[in-house]
Amino acid sequence: MAEQSAKRSSFGGKLTAILAAAGSAIGLGNIWRFPYITSENGGGAFILIYLGCILLLGLPLLVAEFAVGHNSKSNPVDAFSKIRKGWGWLGAAGLISVTLIMGYYFVISGWTVNYAVASATNSIGSDYGGFFNNFTTAVWSPLLFTYAFILANHFIIMGGVQGGIEKASKYMMPLLFAILIALAIYSVWMPAGREALGNIFTPDFSKVSGKTFLDAMGQAFFTLSIGMGAMLIYGSYFKKGTKLAGTAISVVSLDTIVALTAAVIIFSAGVEDANGPQLAFVAMPKVFSAMPAGNIWAMLFFLLLGLAALSSTISMHEAVTSYFVEKRGMSRKRGAWLVTIVAMTLATVASLSLGVWSGATVAGMNIFTLLDNFTAIIMLPLLGIMTALFVGWLWKRESMKAELTAEGGVDKATYPFIRFLLRWVCPILVSVVFIFGLVDFISNL
Ligand code: TRP
């Protein structure tokens, strides 16, 4: 055991640690999910509630998760049980949930590649909704793009912590920021865009219900990759002495800036008519087609989505792989293949559930939607509550404090605040929102 932890890899430095964690956070959640959830919930009012959830719940939980990983230097299952015997199941529940997320997340990731290619070659045509429906309900083409994406992910994981994950983040994140900025400048430059923006950022409280809070909280947890071992495993790769709260603040800031910028890009395109999960895929190609060199911009947009997705999926994959390697004694190669094959199997089911298997439903939802809703509405809040209770109440106080303040050296001002949020605010607020939101959700099924 001692030998194993001595060999354990870590990220090279502060910046790469932030980039890797920001890579996990910034994903489809920011660019694909945030804009459509925002538009479904009435825009500005939702954004305010969302920002509240990010600050009061997301930030402390992210610090908590980093701390559990960093303190134990372990995979998610061992991490919890090292800090407190008998709690490994909390890590296991996270890994099962993140595996379910991979099931549908990889499918959408595959779409982004197809759309990038189709935009570059100008082959989307002019029936945007039709293209989306034909493509996503087909059998083979979405599967092939999804498998290709999973394999790209696989080989990054095989490269290891520094050679794979860190290197990929170091190149992908700056590229992602550059594309995002270019698209943002381009979209606010259009007058129609500025008008549409005004509409979406104006709060409309009439659309706020219990479900709005649940959506905001679920989105906050999802976008910060909370409670499922992804951030925990990255925390375990942070070097000794890393300021956890400081790192979390950087990650949360970057993530929020990207989500808001993505919303600006999408809403400034004036796409109120198209909503739901299709927003990015149906509305954006249409908008770009009306612009000079539109197909290049469209390609850039989907490339952005794909890059963001990839840096997120590697964190999901790594969390589960680390478990098979450290806990089950597999080689990295074997562990990674196992996760890849499970992900491919689930993704196959999720993809087919939009087309040939769309008849198989639970409570009116196909498998794809079920995976999304079950993880975002049920598992994320439950794991969030448990993580907060674990770190706030069950972890030995001195040990937790040493971790959160990097041995007393730093983050002293944030510590009491974070501890209070974890002990009281997170468990209570998340429980209330969870119960009311769930009742609202079920009554609307
Ligand atoms: N945060 C990513 C996004 O916004 C998704 C993600 C990555 C995730 N790892 C996770 C979500 C772990 C939940 C749990 O797209």
Side-chain angles (χ1 to χ4, degrees):
M1 200 62 220
E3 196 193 339
Q4 195 191 13
S5 46
K7 272 195 305 196
R8 208 163 187 278
S9 326
S10 65
F11 292 129
K14 249 195 268 177
L15 183 66
T16 47
I18 292 173
L19 284 182
S24 172
I26 297 166
L28 295 173
N30 303 60
I31 304 165
W32 164 75
R33 203 170 187 278
F34 178 72
Y36 90 75
I37 297 270
T38 299
S39 79
E40 281 180 355
N41 281 292
F46 175 82
I47 294 177
L48 290 177
I49 298 170
Y50 167 79
L51 292 176
C53 291
I54 287 280
L55 280 179
L56 293 178
L57 309 173
L59 181 65
L61 280 168
L62 182 58
V63 178
E65 208 178 322
F66 280 163
V68 172
H70 192 243
N71 182 262
S72 58
K73 300 263 169 290
S74 299
N75 64 85
V77 175
D78 286 331
F80 283 101
S81 65
K82 271 189 191 170
I83 291 176
R84 189 138 183 159
K85 252 201 153 59
W87 280 79
W89 62 269
L90 186 50
L95 293 184
I96 293 171
S97 307
V98 84
T99 306
L100 297 178
I101 291 185
M102 275 192 267
Y104 75 91
Y105 201 98
F106 271 129
V107 176
I108 306 167
S109 307
W111 298 349
T112 67
V113 184
N114 179 65
Y115 266 81
V117 174
S119 305
T121 56
N122 243 332
S123 51
I124 297 185
S126 56
D127 178 9
Y128 304 95
F131 182 87
F132 180 81
N133 286 334
N134 287 339
F135 168 69
T136 54
T137 57
V139 173
W140 283 109
S141 47
L143 282 181
L144 292 180
F145 282 105
T146 297
Y147 294 158
F149 196 94
I150 297 179
L151 287 177
N153 189 93
H154 177 86
F155 288 108
I156 294 174
I157 294 294
M158 290 271 298
V161 176
Q162 287 209 342
I165 301 173
E166 176 172 316
K167 216 175 182 176
S169 319
K170 230 161 61 186
Y171 290 107
M172 286 195 302
M173 297 315 286
L175 182 59
L176 184 148
F177 294 135
I179 299 177
L180 188 79
I181 292 167
L183 284 169
I185 293 174
Y186 191 54
S187 46
V188 285
W189 188 34
M190 301 176 299
R194 288 193 291 270
E195 192 184 320
L197 270 188
N199 294 340
I200 196 77
F201 282 104
T202 309
D204 173 5
F205 286 97
S206 68
K207 284 199 186 162
V208 172
S209 69
K211 176 79 173 7
T212 314
F213 284 88
L214 188 64
D215 275 346
M217 188 174 81
Q219 175 62 22
F221 288 179
F222 185 86
T223 192
L224 294 178
S225 313
I226 277 176
M228 301 199 171
M231 289 300 191
L232 186 156
I233 197 69
Y234 279 8
S236 81
Y237 298 142
F238 292 169
K239 281 196 164 152
K240 199 171 164 17
T242 301
K243 297 183 192 181
L244 300 185
T247 307
I249 289 170
S250 306
V251 171
V252 167
S253 310
L254 288 171
D255 184 80
T256 306
I257 292 170
V258 173
L260 293 175
T261 311
V264 167
I265 294 170
I266 291 190
F267 295 130
S268 69
V271 289
E272 301 99 74
D273 53 331
N275 52 32
Q278 307 191 351
L279 187 55
F281 291 96
V282 175
M284 294 314 284
K286 184 171 164 191
V287 169
F288 288 124
S289 71
M291 300 172 175
N295 66 323
I296 302 296
W297 289 102
M299 184 200 72
L300 281 178
F301 176 77
F302 289 109
L303 192 65
L304 169 75
L305 257 179
L307 282 174
L310 185 57
S311 61
S312 295
T313 53
I314 57 180
S315 73
M316 303 185 197
H317 195 298
E318 176 66 18
V320 190
T321 300
S322 73
Y323 164 79
F324 287 117
V325 174
E326 292 179 5
K327 182 91 181 158
R328 300 272 148 176
M330 290 183 194
S331 65
R332 194 167 174 88
K333 190 169 166 187
R334 225 190 151 88
W337 270 118
L338 183 60
V339 178
T340 295
I341 288 167
V342 171
M344 281 186 171
T345 310
L346 279 174
T348 304
V349 175
S351 181
L352 294 179
S353 81
L354 297 175
V356 288
W357 291 350
S358 59
T361 59
V362 179
M365 294 177 269
N366 58 34
I367 308 285
F368 187 99
T369 316
L370 188 67
L371 288 174
D372 180 7
N373 280 334
F374 175 71
T375 47
I377 297 179
I378 298 177
M379 291 317 288
L380 280 170
L382 281 181
L383 292 169
I385 296 171
M386 293 313 299
T387 306
L389 291 174
F390 182 88
V391 172
W393 296 94
L394 298 176
W395 192 347
K396 258 203 261 115
R397 186 169 173 172
E398 280 320 302
S399 161
M400 177 197 69
K401 182 169 179 181
E403 194 53 60
L404 287 189
T405 57
E407 253 90 70
V410 294
D411 288 341
K412 263 192 259 171
T414 47
Y415 167 74
F417 189 58
I418 297 223
R419 182 177 139 94
F420 175 74
L421 290 175
L422 285 174
R423 283 168 78 94
W424 299 102
V425 179
C426 292
I428 296 174
L429 213 59
V430 180
S431 306
V432 170
V433 174
F434 177 60
I435 291 163
F436 281 96
L438 201 61
V439 169
D440 197 26
F441 176 70
I442 290 171
S443 63
N444 282 322
L445 270 185

